[in-house]
Amino acid sequence: MKKRLLVVAALMAVGVMAVPASAEGEKIGIAMPTQSLERWNRDGSYLKEQFEAAGYEAELVYSDNEVDQQVNDIQNLISDGVNMLVISAIDGEALNTVMDEAAEAGIPVIAYDRLIMHDAVSYYVSFDNYTVGTLQGQFVVDTLDLDNAGDATYNIEFTAGDPADNNAGYFFNGAFDVLKPYIDAGTLVVVSGQTDFDTVATAQWDTQTALERMQNILASYYADGTQLDVALCSNDSTALGVTQAIESDYAGSNSVLITGQDGDEANLANIVDGKQTMTVYKAVANEAVVTLDLAEAILNGDTVDESLIEASAWDFDCAYDTESYETSEGNKCPSFLLVPTVVTANNLQEALVDPGYYTMDDDGYLHPTA
Ligand code: GAL
């Protein structure tokens, strides 16, 4: 990054055009799932800004969580002559036709954040999705001090993400693997008995769907005053619905430990207000930086492996992983995986405000800077 900025500055100093020659005339198609989930608005604007600042033309589309529309939108990007596609899939299994078309047109594809199950994907840029889940699970273990629980028991309910999103299973499994020994030991009790991913999943990560499912669980299993201790939610949009259900329909008076992911504005406000306990934050600004440097290396024909990380001036951790993800059986997808962070009411300033991702008002509420 720094190197590129220096080159640009040097070119400007001698009166040469400020656009690096390699980016000139190159167009990047960016397809994000929806604007209705907050984080993708930030991803979209960071990606567009980063690519444009590096001299690329960037076309950004959102597809309203509609699979057919995303196929259509990507087809349009292909006919607009993009040189590279950066795609976050609505349904990782539903892009086969359009991925074939991208491959035929010789357009490299970066799967952004969510993997696409098609071998036309050249690289995957994401966070370590399984770790997101383990951070949530471990937070529950540590906060309730489950290793020293003795005879105490705690009631827990799970809310997972969209089964069409390849990430959702990783988040759920990461959390469940950490918590399972405590469930097996009887320290954690899933009163509803709902522990299977398909049963606890939330189509489209929809807040209202998560809210209604939690209302049903509360009415069926907790109406007699049974205490709910933990609502393990895979992300913030589902945590928001679960929190609303607990506020309106929970008979108990204890505060429920609620997990999340993303650092959405409303959830950070809930953390400030003590209604949500934690979120796992993913610095999507850094995810965009990795995507840009990767795209540039691919378009320049450079070798892409861990040397990209070594040559970079990234001031954050990122691993090159050739084992964890497959686009089809046996076909590993080389991946660049960033590291997620746990955010609670105690580290909002250091984790989110100091690095410049959010501003904080005098009243303590946060607002994203992008
Ligand atoms: C996932 C993503 C999460 C969350 C969720 C809902 O794929 O990794 O950060 O935002 O989608 O949009």
Side-chain angles (χ1 to χ4, degrees), residues 37 39-40 113-114 165 167 171 205 235 261-262 282:
L37 292 160
R39 72 157 285 187
W40 303 110
D113 205 86
R114 299 174 174 176
D165 175 351
N167 291 349
F171 301 146
W205 299 92
N235 88 330
Q261 169 188 196
D262 286 337
K282 307 199 291 199

Side-chain angles (χ1 to χ4, degrees), residues 41-92:
N41 295 276
R42 287 187 267 122
D43 293 86
S45 52
Y46 279 127
L47 283 164
K48 194 167 189 310
E49 266 166 34
Q50 293 279 347
F51 277 105
E52 286 175 349
Y56 295 90
E57 207 182 310
E59 206 176 326
L60 168 64
V61 294
Y62 286 94
S63 308
D64 214 10
N65 258 340
E66 298 283 348
V67 174
D68 292 347
Q69 192 184 324
Q70 187 165 50
V71 171
N72 218 28
D73 286 340
I74 297 170
Q75 279 167 336
N76 286 337
L77 291 171
I78 294 173
S79 28
D80 284 353
V82 296
N83 303 89
M84 161 86 61
L85 283 163
V86 175
I87 301 172
S88 190
I90 294 164
D91 182 336

Side-chain angles (χ1 to χ4, degrees), residues 53-231:
Y56 295 90
E57 207 182 310
E59 206 176 326
L60 168 64
V61 294
Y62 286 94
S63 308
D64 214 10
N65 258 340
E66 298 283 348
V67 174
D68 292 347
Q69 192 184 324
Q70 187 165 50
V71 171
N72 218 28
D73 286 340
I74 297 170
Q75 279 167 336
N76 286 337
L77 291 171
I78 294 173
S79 28
D80 284 353
V82 296
N83 303 89
M84 161 86 61
L85 283 163
V86 175
I87 301 172
S88 190
I90 294 164
D91 182 336
E93 309 263 4
L95 295 179
N96 285 340
T97 310
V98 72
M99 286 297 93
D100 287 341
E101 288 166 11
E104 271 157 38
I107 303 169
V109 177
I110 296 176
Y112 179 86
D113 205 86
R114 299 174 174 176
L115 192 56
I116 303 166
M117 298 305 138
H118 192 289
D119 295 348
V121 173
S122 319
Y123 296 95
Y124 179 40
V125 176
S126 195
F127 281 77
D128 184 330
N129 296 304
Y130 184 80
T131 296
V132 170
T134 63
L135 289 174
Q136 295 167 337
Q138 194 57 46
F139 183 86
V140 172
V141 172
D142 295 343
T143 307
L144 299 179
D145 195 14
L146 295 184
D147 289 324
N148 299 304
D151 291 339
T153 62
Y154 297 94
N155 295 335
I156 182 169
E157 297 296 339
F158 290 88
T159 301
D162 186 349
D165 175 351
N166 185 58
N167 291 349
Y170 283 89
F171 301 146
F172 177 74
N173 290 337
F176 199 79
D177 288 351
V178 172
L179 298 175
K180 186 169 184 297
Y182 303 94
I183 296 173
D184 291 345
T187 308
L188 286 176
V189 181
V190 187
V191 178
S192 70
Q194 299 178 12
T195 55
D196 148 75
F197 173 73
D198 289 328
T199 311
V200 304
T202 312
Q204 300 203 333
W205 299 92
D206 182 55
T207 298
Q208 186 64 27
T209 305
L211 185 156
E212 285 165 17
R213 178 170 164 270
M214 187 49 68
Q215 283 178 325
N216 285 336
I217 288 177
L218 292 173
S220 307
Y221 304 97
Y222 294 87
D224 62 357
T226 300
Q227 182 161 317
L228 175 63
D229 298 292
V230 182

